[in-house]
Amino acid sequence: MAQIIPNKKALAEQPLKVGQPLGAALAFLGTDQAMPLMHAAQGCSAFAKVFLIQHFHEPIPMQSTAMDPISTVMGSDENLVQAFTNICKTHRPKLIGLLTSGLTEAQGCDIEHAVKVFQESHPNYKHTAIIPVNTPDFYGSLETGYASAVEAMIKHLVPTKAPSSARRKRINILASHMLTPADVDLLKQYVEAFGLTPVVIPDLSLSLDGFLATQDFSSLSQGGCTVTQIKTLGQGLATIVVGRSLERAANMLLERSQIPTEIFPHIHTLEQTDRLIMLLSKISGRKVPDSITRSRGQLCDALIDSHTQLGGKTAALAMEADHLTAFSALFASVNITPSVVIAPCNQPQLASLAVDEVKIGDLYDLQQQAQQHDVDLLVSNSHANSIAKQLNIPLLRVGIPIHDHFGSFAKSFIGYAGIRATLFELSNLLRHEVHSIPVYHSRFKQDLSQIQVQV
């Protein structure tokens, strides 16, 4: 059990936390033909949009209700009606994800009521699902905003009554924000290798995987799970949940679908990946394919190759709770000690981490504690790069945003292949950037340049 050290500072000196609206927008972007709509001033949505563009290097669809001082004081329901009408009329989305900000939450706007009034007064737009979710940015973080959006999609789209029919090959997967598009893609490959059909909620592997579409430009999200797939989640054979932040969404889906549910805190270790593969083998009734067995063997070899480089090292981690759970377990499996653990906000799963304490804080706390504990490695997003340079230690970039490296969305950290790649990256970071091995010169080396060769 880890001791949670609360944050007593009045402000964040070097912010680590990413706001809830951005996390919720990310979840909605994993749905096909969707439009995140932020009920806020234009600057709020512009900031979130730039954040995601810098991370994914892709066009990000997002709209704002553009609140001004008058609507902030006098009420903003009219802004919502106008925004819904314009988006439905112009873009014809399958889904609108309505997010709030600190401004509208402080105003006390009832977005559930506003959506209900719009849908009753505009039946011609009934084919567009509107999912409201409260995401005040003075509370929680990207992780809680993302989880709230997934929960809202299940709440508003999945029928409360369990369906009478079932699709015997469908596997529902609730994917945490910590899974990159490449992670989701690998997870789907595992499921398909057993003859099953995965339906991932949200599915970023089809919408933000860097695919250059051949059709004309679309102002909506392109790819991802469909609204129909979400509505029929209750017909699945089983549900697999990755990330403890989605436990509430998983419980809600379980109540409505009554289908078996298995929760994985992460798939970042050999143990948890083995558990997933054996679960899929049990569900499908098939043996583990040779390709997966070979991939496991490659990971075992990587563990042997890298153990002398990684064993005994110390690390400082500053990430969301799901990421902290995953990487503290991975580091424990290769004998790296997480000496410093910083989280942007308190979450229930933090208390179960196998570390002495977790500090709720920011990157300034990371810098101070990393100096005190003389750690060998930092693990955080790109904002910790300047700290890594000051301390002259390597940085493993994890989370959002990663704006100073290309292809972060294409990196996989999970499964046998992803863990193997992560171990190699860690070994190379610690070997070349900190403790580079000088070229060996024998003391018996002779200077042959003085020898004259007769031809």
Side-chain angles (χ1 to χ4, degrees), residues 318-319 323 327 379-382 395-402 413:
M319 298 179 286
H323 268 130
F327 276 87
V379 185
S380 188
N381 60 34
S382 286
L395 168 68
L396 176 65
R397 290 167 172 80
V398 174
I400 295 178
I402 298 177
F413 296 93

Side-chain angles (χ1 to χ4, degrees), residues 15-75:
L16 167 65
K17 189 178 85 166
V18 177
Q20 285 201 103
L22 190 143
L26 179 64
F28 286 121
L29 290 173
T31 308
D32 189 32
Q33 300 291 298
M35 174 66 79
L37 171 63
M38 190 175 295
H39 191 25
Q42 278 189 321
C44 301
S45 61
F47 183 79
K49 194 169 183 175
V50 169
F51 226 65
L52 291 173
I53 289 173
Q54 289 180 333
H55 180 82
F56 289 102
H57 296 276
E58 297 293 335
I60 299 295
M62 188 180 296
Q63 294 286 345
S64 167
T65 55
M67 289 178 60
D68 57 18
I70 295 177
S71 58
T72 300
V73 176
M74 304 301 293

Side-chain angles (χ1 to χ4, degrees), residues 80-392:
L80 279 174
V81 172
Q82 187 176 353
F84 290 150
T85 305
N86 290 341
I87 293 173
C88 290
K89 184 177 180 180
T90 308
H91 305 293
R92 301 181 181 279
K94 297 291 184 184
L95 183 147
I96 296 175
L98 176 61
L99 326 170
T100 59
S101 65
L103 176 65
T104 48
E105 288 289 338
Q107 185 193 44
C109 180
D110 187 350
I111 55 173
E112 295 262 0
H113 177 73
V115 171
K116 185 178 179 181
V117 169
F118 174 78
Q119 290 175 330
E120 291 176 352
S121 59
H122 296 75
N124 50 324
Y125 298 133
K126 64 180 180 181
H127 297 297
T128 298
I130 303 178
I131 310 296
V133 53
N134 294 93
T135 53
D137 37 20
F138 47 75
Y139 173 79
S141 64
L142 179 147
E143 182 170 283
T144 56
Y146 183 98
S148 297
V150 175
E151 191 176 337
M153 283 190 271
I154 294 172
K155 176 184 175 183
H156 290 275
L157 295 178
V158 179
T160 54
K161 186 178 179 181
S164 56
S165 60
R167 304 186 187 192
R168 307 309 301 174
K169 289 189 176 182
R170 175 188 282 194
I171 298 294
N172 303 323
I173 299 175
L174 300 187
S176 162
H177 69 91
M178 68 175 165
L179 300 185
T180 65
D183 285 335
V184 175
D185 191 46
L186 181 62
L187 192 55
K188 289 162 65 178
Q189 289 178 31
Y190 280 161
V191 176
E192 290 168 348
F194 288 90
L196 302 169
T197 304
V199 174
V200 184
I201 311 294
D203 191 349
L204 297 178
S205 72
L206 294 176
S207 59
L208 291 172
D209 61 336
F211 176 71
L212 186 60
T214 55
Q215 64 266 29
D216 291 339
F217 170 78
S218 172
S219 56
L220 305 173
S221 61
Q222 299 183 65
C225 62
T226 65
V227 173
T228 303
Q229 287 177 326
I230 301 175
K231 289 180 177 178
T232 56
L233 282 178
Q235 298 178 343
L237 180 61
T239 299
I240 294 174
V241 184
V242 182
R244 292 202 179 280
S245 62
L246 298 180
E247 282 186 345
R248 284 203 315 176
N251 291 333
M252 179 180 290
L253 180 59
L254 177 61
E255 290 177 3
R256 298 180 179 217
S257 64
Q258 302 297 318
I259 59 178
T261 300
E262 197 75 22
I263 298 178
F264 291 78
H266 56 81
I267 316 176
H268 288 66
T269 61
L270 176 65
E271 178 190 7
Q272 291 296 325
T273 307
D274 284 348
R275 183 184 156 211
L276 171 68
I277 296 301
M278 296 316 297
L279 175 65
L280 293 174
S281 178
K282 180 182 177 182
I283 293 173
S284 64
R286 294 188 180 188
K287 293 182 178 179
V288 178
D290 292 341
S291 59
I292 294 181
T293 303
R294 183 170 180 81
S295 182
R296 187 182 189 281
Q298 291 171 337
L299 171 58
C300 291
D301 182 70
L303 286 165
I304 296 171
D305 293 345
S306 61
H307 83 280
T308 54
Q309 190 65 46
L310 301 180
K313 296 295 191 297
T314 58
L317 288 69
M319 298 179 286
E320 299 278 2
D322 273 357
H323 268 130
L324 290 175
T325 303
F327 276 87
S328 60
L330 172 65
F331 285 178
S333 70
V334 295
N335 197 27
I336 296 177
T337 304
S339 302
V340 177
V341 179
I342 308 291
C345 66
N346 195 0
Q347 293 295 309
Q349 63 265 45
L350 292 177
S352 61
L353 295 184
V355 298
D356 294 333
E357 63 179 39
V358 178
K359 168 74 176 174
I360 308 302
D362 57 16
L363 292 176
Y364 179 78
D365 298 308
L366 173 72
Q367 182 176 9
Q368 297 299 307
Q369 293 201 19
Q371 282 179 322
Q372 294 173 9
H373 290 80
D374 193 23
V375 298
D376 301 304
L377 171 74
L378 291 185
V379 185
S380 188
N381 60 34
S382 286
H383 290 160
N385 189 33
S386 59
I387 299 174
K389 288 182 178 177
Q390 291 175 24
L391 301 180
N392 193 28

